[in-house]
Amino acid sequence: MEEQTKQLLDWSQWGRQWIERMRDQKKWNRELEHHLHKFEETFIQLGRKAARLNADTQSEELPVLLARAEEVQEQFHRFLRLVQLNEPEKVDAVVTPVSYPSQREPVPVARPLSAGRHTLPPLPYSYDALEPHIDAETMRIHHDKLHKKYVDDLNTAELKLAEARANGNFDLIRHWERELAFNGAGHYLHTIFWPSMSPNGGGEPSGDLAEAIRRYFGSYSSFQAQFTQAANKVEGPGWAILVWSPRAQHLEILMAEKHQNLSQWDTVPLLALDVWEHSYFLHYQNERDRYVNAWWNVVNWRYVEERFAQARKLRWQPY
Ligand SMILES: [Fe+2]
């Protein structure tokens, strides 16, 4: 019972977070805003009902609510898909969210995911939204095929390791631990990567993040120069990543080979640039530096500032 209400609360929170991000990143016409608003109300209502059911373990309402929640999720995915495909005129025909009375409530704290339950986050904008800097075909393959595979393979690794723990058979431990690290890092980095870009991106950060960049790197331009060089010089596929170190209490720029090699653990990634060839080859061929330069035009600094504000709340003994 408790597991299922947790799941409902997760769905409710997930939906609201996506809607919040989508609002930040796109100009919505009245029609789409109407749908977005309806979904938002539905997710809020879902969370409220789940919180109430959690206290009432005898309720027979739960299976009904779960079925409804699954339906809402499916409709929301369909809606996101049409937005990504830039086919908003079809929304009315395929999406029929139920409306609920408007009432705000605080977002609940995220609940832990059980093994094998990771899902692919939808793109918070259409495939072609970042053109001309990042082309639609690259986005489609990168998100729908490659990121999806990291999620699937991460789930498999988690389930295989759970099975090994249950059987006490760890013969394949090295293989599954490697799969866990590679696909887990791949999934988490891509999950940061999509909202780190926006059709309204570019420019420079502001507020505390701008100040922290100035304090540690000297200036925004020297930060940008180091980050650009790091992205260009990753040996083979990998990432350039801006991280916050809760121990040193300062920012840092790191390179990661593949997804997980050369990482500095104990830090929080704030901004990640994917420099695997799949993220630029179709449009820029082997000219990674042109892709990296174009990418600065779509950086979503609002998202990075939000991650920075959360990360800074961590306080660890400095060593
Ligand atoms: Fe990638």
Side-chain angles (χ1 to χ4, degrees):
M1 178 70 82
E2 205 182 319
E3 173 102 353
Q4 288 168 320
T5 47
K6 272 182 195 167
Q7 181 73 59
L8 286 169
L9 286 169
D10 281 347
W11 284 350
S12 164
Q13 186 186 17
W14 171 87
R16 278 175 291 166
Q17 284 174 343
W18 269 108
I19 290 169
E20 214 170 282
R21 260 181 234 162
M22 290 165 80
R23 283 227 174 86
D24 283 351
Q25 301 191 355
K26 196 165 174 132
K27 283 263 165 264
W28 295 91
N29 65 30
R30 265 185 61 199
E31 201 87 325
L32 285 178
E33 175 53 41
H34 170 75
H35 283 291
L36 211 56
H37 180 70
K38 293 272 186 194
F39 274 117
E40 188 176 36
E41 295 304 332
T42 307
F43 282 120
I44 289 171
Q45 189 71 2
L46 185 67
R48 194 178 306 136
K49 286 195 171 192
R52 210 188 60 224
L53 283 178
N54 210 14
D56 175 11
T57 50
Q58 300 304 310
S59 175
E60 286 167 12
E61 247 188 277
L62 188 58
V64 181
L65 193 58
L66 274 170
R68 178 74 194 115
E70 272 175 31
E71 196 189 318
V72 169
Q73 266 219 325
E74 203 186 305
Q75 300 249 11
F76 189 56
H77 270 117
R78 237 181 275 166
F79 171 72
L80 291 173
R81 188 96 192 140
L82 289 174
V83 171
Q84 281 170 17
L85 293 170
N86 252 339
E87 294 178 345
E89 69 284 355
K90 294 188 185 161
V91 169
D92 275 332
V94 297
V95 174
T96 50
V98 173
S99 77
Y100 286 101
S102 169
Q103 209 178 324
R104 302 276 164 178
E105 64 173 28
V107 176
V109 174
R111 307 286 176 138
L113 275 187
S114 42
R117 299 297 294 274
H118 297 278
T119 51
L120 177 68
L123 278 184
Y125 34 70
S126 60
Y127 294 113
D128 63 359
L130 305 180
E131 288 194 338
H133 308 294
I134 317 272
D135 64 290
E137 192 53 17
T138 296
M139 291 298 283
R140 195 184 302 271
I141 298 169
H142 198 171
H143 176 267
D144 293 9
K145 293 206 161 63
L146 299 170
H147 188 174
K148 172 77 167 51
K149 180 136 172 49
Y150 297 133
V151 173
D152 292 345
D153 291 353
L154 172 62
N155 284 333
T156 304
E158 286 186 355
L159 292 172
K160 288 288 182 188
L161 285 163
E163 203 178 296
R165 288 191 295 276
N167 302 334
N169 177 352
F170 293 103
D171 288 352
L172 295 174
I173 185 75
R174 282 175 57 179
H175 171 73
W176 290 119
E177 287 287 354
R178 209 179 298 128
E179 284 289 296
L180 188 71
F182 177 79
N183 293 295
H187 169 48
Y188 295 140
L189 283 171
H190 283 94
T191 302
I192 299 170
F193 186 54
W194 309 125
S196 297
M197 300 182 288
S198 160
N200 307 316
E204 292 186 19
S206 56
D208 288 347
L209 179 59
E211 180 49 35
I213 285 178
R214 260 194 305 276
R215 200 178 310 130
Y216 190 62
F217 297 104
S219 66
Y220 176 77
S221 61
S222 45
F223 150 76
Q224 194 185 29
Q226 184 181 335
F227 193 96
T228 299
Q229 283 304 308
N232 285 334
K233 303 284 166 59
V234 175
E235 204 174 334
W239 296 77
I241 308 173
L242 173 64
V243 300
W244 171 251
S245 166
R247 203 167 300 283
Q249 291 284 308
H250 65 62
L251 296 164
E252 196 50 273
I253 293 168
L254 296 172
M255 291 154 120
E257 288 181 2
K258 299 217 276 186
H259 300 305
Q260 77 284 32
N261 299 358
L262 307 184
S263 303
Q264 191 180 56
W265 296 48
D266 207 24
T267 56
V268 181
L270 301 177
L271 172 66
L273 167 54
D274 191 342
V275 291
W276 281 59
E277 283 192 340
H278 63 228
S279 59
Y280 62 90
F281 198 80
L282 280 182
H283 193 67
Y284 295 99
Q285 285 80 51
N286 60 343
E287 295 179 83
R288 186 193 287 183
D289 54 339
R290 282 184 53 227
Y291 158 70
V292 172
N293 282 338
W295 179 81
W296 287 109
N297 293 305
V298 293
V299 171
N300 183 5
W301 283 112
R302 300 300 84 73
Y303 175 74
V304 185
E305 286 159 16
E306 207 178 284
R307 284 185 69 86
F308 181 53
Q310 290 299 318
R312 287 186 86 175
K313 291 179 188 160
L314 289 167
R315 288 282 185 276
W316 294 331
Q317 176 68 36
Y319 281 111

